[in-house]
Amino acid sequence: MHDYHAVEALVEQLTGRLDGSGGARVEEVRIRADAVFSLEALQQAYEMLTPGTPLEGSRLVVEEVH
């Protein structure tokens, strides 16, 4: 569940920065995450949380940090 909350915080932060940007669209979001996060869970949470935001349709790219 911490994966979901981490992505939720990320989406809130990014959409807050994009508010008032004149309809700017994001194509890709890159993050670094260590092994405590499940890559699949991060992707799934991102897909659930981005519809209706400027991030909708963008791709989450996760770089694993060991």
Side-chain angles (χ1 to χ4, degrees):
M1 193 55 121
H2 65 282
D3 305 270
Y4 181 88
H5 292 295
V7 174
E8 183 176 42
L10 173 68
V11 169
E12 286 176 5
Q13 183 179 31
L14 292 175
T15 55
R17 289 182 182 181
L18 292 169
D19 281 348
S21 63
R25 303 251 341 134
V26 175
E27 292 184 25
E28 184 175 273
V29 173
R30 293 181 165 270
I31 62 169
R32 298 175 77 190
D34 67 24
V36 292
F37 291 98
S38 160
L39 299 179
E40 294 80 19
L42 292 171
Q43 292 285 351
Q44 184 178 32
Y46 190 80
E47 290 174 11
M48 290 171 49
L49 291 165
T50 56
T53 74
L55 302 172
E56 183 174 7
S58 66
R59 187 170 61 124
L60 180 66
V61 178
V62 181
E63 177 186 340
E64 269 190 284
V65 179
H66 299 282

